Amino acid sequence: MISNIQELYQKIIVNHAKYPIGRGILPQYNYHAKLKNPDCGDDIEVYLKVMDQHLEQISFTGQGCIISQASASMMVDALSGKRILEAQQLMQNFQNLILGKDYDESQLGDLIAFATLNQFPTRVRCGMLAWHAMADGLNQGGISFGK
């Protein structure tokens, strides 16, 4: 049973890396940040269109491993249209998941596919890269967003 779940999770991650949601530059973004993981060379640029405390649209560009690319795609899918506060809560919950801390599975949807990432500490940064770039873009633009 566990093997079947892990295979399903791997398929979800690979599918998002091959066919990412939100890849490209938003034509009318108002927040933006770029981060690079110095350990492995992954880089992600996140573009956000924020209106009335809502993440109206999110996109990303960049290169990297399957984990960083799938996480960016799944972040776009999970956070587009969310209120800033909801996005902060989901980001914290996702970070708890990949760090092996207590998390609320009911909030995560397909992000649960990263549940075993905590077994690979060097890959945790890959999984959080896009999320931290998003937070940096919002913080730099004057919206308080914790990391």
Side-chain angles (χ1 to χ4, degrees), residues 25-127:
I25 300 171
L26 286 179
Q28 297 181 336
Y29 64 88
N30 51 3
Y31 296 87
H32 164 260
K34 179 177 184 173
L35 282 181
K36 183 172 183 134
N37 183 345
D39 294 336
C40 65
D42 292 354
D43 68 81
I44 296 282
E45 245 175 297
V46 175
Y47 306 86
L48 306 138
K49 182 177 180 185
V50 180
M51 302 291 290
D52 299 322
Q53 293 294 306
H54 277 87
L55 296 172
E56 296 274 323
Q57 291 181 290
I58 307 169
S59 72
F60 75 97
T61 59
Q63 306 178 72
C65 68
I66 286 176
I67 299 297
S68 71
Q69 298 300 292
S71 182
S73 172
M74 294 169 80
M75 177 193 77
V76 168
D77 191 38
L79 297 183
S80 292
K82 297 266 193 249
R83 294 187 57 75
I84 296 292
L85 182 58
E86 292 173 294
Q88 286 176 312
Q89 292 167 345
L90 185 55
M91 180 178 167
Q92 184 61 57
N93 198 29
F94 178 66
Q95 185 167 307
N96 286 348
L97 167 79
I98 67 172
L99 289 175
K101 297 180 180 179
D102 290 337
Y103 60 91
D104 181 355
E105 184 176 342
S106 69
Q107 291 181 348
L108 293 170
D110 282 350
L111 290 167
I112 197 74
F114 291 99
T116 60
L117 201 57
N118 64 39
Q119 296 171 16
F120 310 95
T122 59
R123 303 307 296 243
V124 169
R125 281 189 184 181
C126 301

